[in-house]
């Protein structure tokens, strides 16, 4: 029971961290999870495929998300994120993700 309560506390805290991050990232939406420890993030406003996005994120920052296209073509422009980790790891990963989003956004603006 103590282990379950500890893990639930971590997941609840991380859900709040992730929720706050999504609220701050105006071009990122999500499917709010009803249960579990993963969520789908929508970044289709950035105009990049989910595979290219996730591969670029990994290459640039070392942070890893699962491309939505792995779950079917209707999820291109989405990525799956897990948040059953330490809060520090989640926060660092979200910083990396925000930094990568700024880079992609800059590249979009330069291409115009």
């Amino acid at each position: 029971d103590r282990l379950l309560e500890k893990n639930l506390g971590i997941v609840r805290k991380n859900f709040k961290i992730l929720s706050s991050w999504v609220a701050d990232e105006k071009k990122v939406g999500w499917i709010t999870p009803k249960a579990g420890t993963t969520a789908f993030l929508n970044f289709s406003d950035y105009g990049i495929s989910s595979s290219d996005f996730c591969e670029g994120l990994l290459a640039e920052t070392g942070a890893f998300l699962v491309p939505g296209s792995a779950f079917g073509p209707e999820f291109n422009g989405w990525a799956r994120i897990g948040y059953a980790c330490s809060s520090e790891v989640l926060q660092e990963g979200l910083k990396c993700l925000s930094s990568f989003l700024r880079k992609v956004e800059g590249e979009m603006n330069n291409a115009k």
Side-chain angles (χ1 to χ4, degrees), residues 27-71:
K27 289 187 175 182
V28 176
W30 70 331
I31 297 174
T32 307
K34 305 252 185 284
T37 58
T38 61
F40 275 97
L41 302 176
N42 181 325
F43 55 88
S44 58
D45 285 350
Y46 288 90
I48 184 172
S49 75
S50 59
S51 293
D52 289 344
F53 183 87
C54 292
E55 288 173 13
L57 175 67
L58 180 61
E60 291 281 328
T61 69
F64 179 75
L65 299 178
V66 179
S69 58
F71 300 93

Side-chain angles (χ1 to χ4, degrees), residues 72-84:
E74 65 273 21
F75 288 104
N76 195 25
W78 293 75
R80 189 177 81 165
I81 186 171
Y83 56 94

Side-chain angles (χ1 to χ4, degrees), residues 6-18 82-95:
K6 176 185 175 193
N7 288 338
L8 283 173
I10 292 168
V11 170
R12 288 179 182 133
K13 178 180 179 183
N14 287 353
F15 177 80
K16 289 178 184 178
I17 291 168
L18 182 57
Y83 56 94
C85 55
S86 75
S87 298
E88 294 78 19
V89 167
L90 178 62
Q91 289 170 323
E92 187 60 33
L94 292 173
K95 284 181 194 174

